[in-house]
Amino acid sequence: MVNYHGREWSLWYRQETTEGTAPTTVQYKALAQMSEIRINNQTAPNAVALSGSLDFSDYVKGVNNIAFSVTFNPSSANGTAFIRDFISTDNSFTLIAKAGSIYQVFKGCKIRNTSVDVSIYPDGTPLNVSCDIIAWDFSTTQPSGITYESIPTTFVNWSDVTVKLDSGATASTTLTDWWTCSFTIENDLFRIPTNSGTTSAIHRGRRRGSVSITRQLTDTASTEMTASTNATAYSSSVAFGSATFTFTAGAFTNVEITHTITGMSGKKIDIQASTITIA
C-alpha cells in the first residue's frame, strides 16, 4: 500500500469548452505553489419514519452533490488567472488533484464562494485564497492525452498588491497605509439534477461582493463614521498580477476603531458593493 502526505498532492485546472466535459489532449495549468483541497459528496440519502416504530425505513439514493474547497497561495500567472477567470462567471472548468499515479478529477466545476486576504501589519503575508466549489462529477481517471504544467516557484506577496479607495463611483487613490485587505465574492449557484440523480447543469443566480480594509489610525475617523451613517457611496479596488477586482458604489456596513494595548491603533472599514468588475 502506498501512502501519501498532503505535500505530495498538487492541483491543476483547465477551462471547459462544454460544461461538464473534461478537456483532453491539452496542458492543464498549475494552480499554485502551495494548495490544499477538502472534498465532500453530500448526497443526502432518503428515508421515511416508520409508523408504530422508533426507527426509519432503509435509505435510498439521494442526489449527487460533489463539493470541495481549495486553499492556495496563487502565482502571478495562472494562479491569478484562475481567480480572475472563474471567481464569478458562467465558465466551467475541470480541476485535477494528483499525487503519483492517483487522480481525482472534478468536471463541470463552478466557484460558489471566494475569500482573498493579505496582510502587511502586524505580519507581512502572501496573498491567500480560499474557494468553495461545486462540480458535476468526480472520477479517478485522468482525461486522455493531457500534460501538466510545472508547479510554479513564485507566489503573490503583499508587496505585489495595490489597494485603492475613494468616495463616489470610482476608485483611483492608491492607499499607502493599508495594513490588511480582504474581499469576498459569493455566487448563488443552482445545481440542476437529472432523474438519475446526476447533474445536468449548474446555473448562476445573483452575487454579492464586499471588501474589508484595515489602516493605521491618524485622525478621528469621523469621515468614515459619517459615511457609514449616511450610506455615502464608496468604491475600492484590489489589484495583483494580471487581475483587478473593483467594488463600485458600495456603502460602509461597518467601521471599527481599535486601540489595543499590545499594538498600534487602527481603523477597519467594511464595504458592501453594488457592482463588481473583474478585469
Side-chain angles (χ1 to χ4, degrees):
M1 177 184 294
V2 178
N3 297 305
Y4 291 97
H5 190 274
R7 65 170 178 80
E8 296 175 88
W9 290 84
S10 295
L11 303 180
W12 287 267
Y13 72 94
R14 187 79 189 200
Q15 183 171 331
E16 296 172 346
T17 302
T18 301
E19 184 175 333
T21 301
T24 59
T25 322
V26 293
Q27 184 182 69
Y28 275 63
K29 301 174 182 180
L31 183 62
Q33 185 180 37
M34 191 290 296
S35 55
E36 297 178 338
I37 184 169
R38 292 174 175 81
I39 306 161
N40 296 285
N41 185 18
Q42 300 172 341
T43 56
N46 296 310
V48 296
L50 297 175
S51 297
S53 173
L54 297 173
D55 298 317
F56 290 82
S57 67
D58 292 339
Y59 280 89
V60 296
K61 68 180 294 184
V63 175
N64 275 5
N65 186 21
I66 305 296
F68 58 97
S69 61
V70 295
T71 301
F72 59 99
N73 301 119
S75 67
S76 59
N78 286 332
T80 296
F82 175 83
I83 310 167
R84 181 195 64 213
D85 295 342
F86 301 115
I87 192 172
S88 185
T89 178
D90 283 321
N91 295 330
S92 63
F93 59 94
T94 294
L95 186 136
I96 300 176
K98 177 180 178 295
S101 59
I102 296 180
Y103 306 93
Q104 296 173 332
V105 181
F106 304 88
K107 294 174 285 186
C109 297
K110 291 186 180 179
I111 298 176
R112 174 179 283 149
N113 300 321
T114 302
S115 62
V116 179
D117 61 83
V118 66
S119 171
I120 297 177
Y121 175 85
D123 299 305
T125 67
L127 190 82
N128 187 71
V129 181
S130 296
C131 299
D132 294 328
I133 301 170
I134 62 176
W136 278 40
D137 190 19
F138 166 80
S139 72
T140 57
T141 303
Q142 73 169 338
S144 63
I146 69 170
T147 59
Y148 296 92
E149 180 190 33
S150 298
I151 299 300
T153 58
T154 61
F155 55 85
V156 177
N157 193 37
W158 65 263
S159 53
D160 303 313
V161 178
T162 299
V163 180
K164 295 183 179 182
L165 177 70
D166 275 301
S167 59
T170 59
S172 57
T173 301
T174 299
L175 300 184
T176 59
D177 61 350
W178 67 274
W179 284 349
T180 67
C181 179
S182 63
F183 66 84
T184 62
I185 295 179
E186 301 172 350
N187 303 293
D188 291 333
L189 296 181
F190 298 88
R191 184 188 298 275
I192 312 300
T194 67
N195 289 339
S196 64
T198 59
T199 299
S200 63
I202 295 175
H203 197 82
R204 188 163 62 121
R206 301 189 67 84
R207 67 180 177 185
R208 293 165 297 279
S210 60
V211 59
S212 178
I213 303 169
T214 302
R215 307 169 64 183
Q216 58 182 309
L217 183 68
T218 58
D219 53 31
T220 63
S222 61
T223 300
E224 290 86 350
M225 289 292 193
T226 301
S228 178
T229 300
N230 296 332
T232 303
Y234 265 78
S235 299
S236 179
S237 69
V238 183
F240 52 88
S242 59
T244 301
F245 305 85
T246 304
F247 302 83
T248 304
F252 291 171
T253 57
N254 183 50
V255 177
E256 179 181 314
I257 300 171
T258 56
H259 305 298
T260 61
I261 199 69
T262 57
M264 300 298 295
S265 295
K267 58 185 176 183
K268 175 175 174 286
I269 56 171
D270 299 327
I271 302 172
Q272 188 73 41
S274 296
T275 305
I276 307 166
T277 304
I278 302 168

